[in-house]
Amino acid sequence: MQPKKAKTEDAKRTKNQNEHVVQEHIHGRAGLNNHLIQMKIMNSETKEIEDPRRIINGDEMPQFLDYATGAGETYLGVRGQALAVAETQNRETATVVMYADLSGFLYGFHAIIGRKHLTESMADCFETPCGAPNFNNQIYPLDGKSTYALISTTEKGVQTGATLLARLKLLKREIDHRNEIERATGGKEIEFPICIMYDNHSSRYDDAVMEALYGPGKTLGFELFFEKSLTSQFLQMLDQINKACHDAYKKGKKEYKKQHMAKYGVEPDIGVPEFLEIFGGCKELNLAGIWFSWVTRTSILGAWRKVGVLGRTTDGAQI
């Protein structure tokens, strides 16, 4: 008898992609609806979400700095066999962290890079051309965008409890800033607590994160809702649109190399500083950052609908 083969992660994901999992995720006893009702975000009778700004999805997106499969030219080798010759590439990976709410608002940029310290070259990365958007810690309600930014360092460029907690503190500042604008314009403030929907990444269960969220001295005003493991591809909103961010980065990287070649006559190596400039903008090459245009509010709302979460705008109109 042959030993039973272990299921691959993809096979497990496919098995989880069924109607029962979706029903339990939304309507089960520990599902999203009951969680939102307990938080007084959803009306218990109508099952309507009164303020979509109180529901946020957060997720991490790994991004190669400069690596693409199948890149380079192809030559004929022995007996006519095709041999692919790859271009010089950097397989180093950084992490881009995203947060967006059910109203379609995209919160600020967070990059996690594999370094012990930030260098001076990284500090100058966000200098942008005149008139181009930049990370200047502003909130633009009509555009549905925040221009706050955070750069974190970890040993391998991945999310940890410490980087997650730093991002949650910044998210609280962004929401407080939105509320300042609402007060100044006579609008409706975003009430706390706010529900953040996450996958089951280990950083969520860090002791310091749990203490900040649920301990005696909790000050953030967030409560977490976790999806079932291996279901992100069809239950998590940001998973529906992160390909657009990958594609925008590839396009931005290509343009970055093109402009660098035109100005200096050599193609640049793409490291961390260049990675940050592609996202945030580069004054030297007259390039706007891709972060400010990679996704639209309409696309975010469409992604929320795709995973079965709907809400109402603050003026009561269905979204």
Side-chain angles (χ1 to χ4, degrees):
M1 294 180 62
Q2 295 291 329
K4 187 176 181 180
K5 292 183 178 179
K7 290 184 178 180
T8 65
E9 290 296 293
D10 285 342
K12 293 177 183 178
R13 290 177 188 275
T14 301
K15 183 178 179 180
N16 281 332
Q17 193 166 341
N18 60 67
E19 186 175 353
H20 173 73
V21 171
V22 175
Q23 287 292 324
E24 284 298 306
H25 172 74
I26 296 176
H27 303 292
R29 291 182 61 185
L32 180 61
N33 282 2
N34 282 338
H35 188 77
L36 296 178
I37 289 170
Q38 291 172 9
M39 293 181 67
K40 300 189 183 328
I41 295 176
M42 174 179 280
N43 186 295
S44 60
E45 296 181 359
T46 65
K47 299 298 189 294
E48 291 180 346
I49 297 166
E50 298 298 337
D51 188 350
R53 300 171 301 172
R54 293 182 64 194
I55 301 177
I56 295 173
N57 182 206
D59 193 27
E60 298 84 14
M61 184 190 80
Q63 176 65 62
F64 283 117
L65 301 193
D66 189 20
Y67 176 68
T69 56
E73 300 179 3
T74 301
Y75 299 91
L76 291 179
V78 179
R79 297 179 182 175
Q81 184 178 2
L83 299 175
V85 180
E87 299 170 349
T88 301
Q89 297 171 333
N90 184 354
R91 291 178 181 241
E92 181 181 358
T93 303
T95 299
V96 177
V97 185
M98 308 170 180
Y99 285 82
D101 71 19
L102 187 53
S103 77
F105 189 94
L106 179 68
Y107 284 95
F109 175 74
H110 182 199
I112 306 173
I113 58 177
R115 297 288 187 276
K116 289 186 177 180
H117 307 286
L118 293 175
T119 65
E120 187 175 345
S121 63
M122 297 176 201
D124 297 333
C125 286
F126 293 150
E127 291 187 10
T128 59
C130 182
N134 61 87
F135 294 122
N136 58 354
N137 293 349
Q138 295 299 316
I139 297 291
Y140 296 95
L142 296 181
D143 295 333
K145 298 281 176 66
S146 162
T147 58
Y148 281 74
L150 175 66
I151 303 175
S152 301
T153 59
T154 62
E155 182 180 357
K156 297 182 179 179
V158 298
Q159 183 86 284
T160 65
T163 58
L164 175 60
L165 182 55
R167 183 62 186 95
L168 289 174
K169 289 178 179 179
L170 180 62
L171 181 61
K172 175 65 162 56
R173 285 177 52 197
E174 292 176 275
I175 296 170
D176 288 344
H177 193 164
R178 289 182 75 181
N179 280 340
E180 289 176 11
I181 295 173
E182 295 294 350
R183 286 193 295 272
T185 58
K188 181 181 178 181
E189 293 185 41
I190 304 170
E191 296 181 10
F192 291 90
I194 287 169
C195 175
I196 300 182
M197 300 174 65
Y198 277 139
D199 59 22
N200 283 274
H201 191 275
S202 60
S203 62
R204 326 294 190 220
Y205 305 99
D206 178 82
D207 288 344
V209 172
M210 289 290 104
E211 179 69 21
L213 290 170
Y214 301 109
K218 59 182 181 181
T219 57
L220 294 176
F222 301 136
E223 292 188 18
L224 309 187
F225 177 80
F226 298 104
E227 66 200 34
K228 182 178 178 180
S229 297
L230 304 176
T231 60
S232 294
Q233 79 278 14
F234 66 98
L235 290 181
Q236 182 160 236
M237 182 278 291
L238 286 168
D239 264 38
Q240 314 309 309
I241 56 175
N242 60 19
K243 183 180 182 299
C245 192
H246 283 302
D247 290 345
Y249 179 79
K250 292 176 185 176
K251 184 177 179 181
K253 181 180 66 175
K254 183 177 180 180
E255 185 63 22
Y256 187 98
K257 290 182 175 182
K258 176 183 175 182
Q259 295 303 325
H260 193 280
M261 175 68 78
K263 185 166 186 175
Y264 298 108
V266 294
E267 185 172 291
D269 293 328
I270 303 296
V272 169
E274 293 76 20
F275 167 82
L276 295 174
E277 287 179 331
I278 291 168
F279 271 102
C282 179
K283 182 178 181 180
E284 185 180 10
L285 299 179
N286 197 35
L287 292 174
I290 66 164
W291 180 256
F292 308 100
S293 60
W294 74 269
V295 70
T296 65
R297 199 165 201 164
T298 301
S299 295
I300 294 173
L301 293 176
W304 278 112
R305 288 193 181 95
K306 190 173 181 180
V307 298
V309 184
L310 297 174
R312 289 188 175 276
T313 60
T314 52
D315 62 1
Q318 188 72 33
I319 63 170

